[in-house]
Amino acid sequence: MLKAWGIALIASLLVTSCQSHQEVQRKERPVDDHTAYRTQQIDGLSIFYREAGPKDAPTLLLLHGLPSSSRMFEPLFSRLSEHYHLVAPDYPGFGRSDWPDPKTFPSVLRPVGA
């Protein structure tokens, strides 16, 4: 009898803890987690960027490292878009942005005059 009672107690605790965990997850995620995926033509290149959050909120420009893309900020978008206007572009040649012609595109890695 004690064994059956112990199993029932453990089962009820597991169900309760799973429900609590789901409720916590719902509270942490913003209700309107809408990320817009856009492109902007800049000097003949299509530059991709992600945007979320209210446009009248403080804007955070999220610039990714190398080699990477704006996709690395997806977890931040879901956590911060309720309070901030977030913009995360992909650099030329990264993510979904156009790849420029290396012969005509200015580069900080190429020496001046080369």
Side-chain angles (χ1 to χ4, degrees):
M1 177 126 174
L2 181 57
K3 187 175 183 181
W5 181 83
I7 292 172
L9 177 62
I10 291 172
S12 68
L13 288 173
L14 286 173
V15 169
T16 304
S17 67
C18 289
Q19 289 172 347
S20 298
H21 181 67
Q22 289 171 350
E23 289 172 12
V24 168
Q25 283 182 328
R26 274 189 237 123
K27 289 179 184 177
E28 287 179 358
R29 293 183 182 170
V31 176
D32 285 334
D33 183 24
H34 297 292
T35 300
Y37 303 95
R38 299 191 166 109
T39 58
Q40 177 72 41
Q41 289 292 321
I42 301 174
D43 291 336
L45 295 174
S46 178
I47 302 299
F48 173 85
Y49 66 98
R50 298 164 196 270
E51 183 176 23
K55 295 200 181 211
D56 60 344
T59 298
L60 295 178
L61 179 62
L62 304 171
L63 302 174
H64 63 79
L66 298 174
S68 190
S69 73
S70 61
R71 186 172 184 202
M72 70 180 284
F73 295 115
E74 284 179 350
L76 284 178
F77 269 59
S78 66
R79 291 181 179 170
L80 299 178
S81 63
E82 191 174 346
H83 303 288
Y84 296 97
H85 175 226
L86 305 170
V87 179
D90 283 340
Y91 299 135
F94 292 88
R96 295 184 184 175
S97 289
D98 283 349
W99 186 269
D101 180 0
K103 294 178 183 175
T104 60
F105 191 74
S107 172
V108 295
L109 302 176
R110 188 172 57 227
V112 176

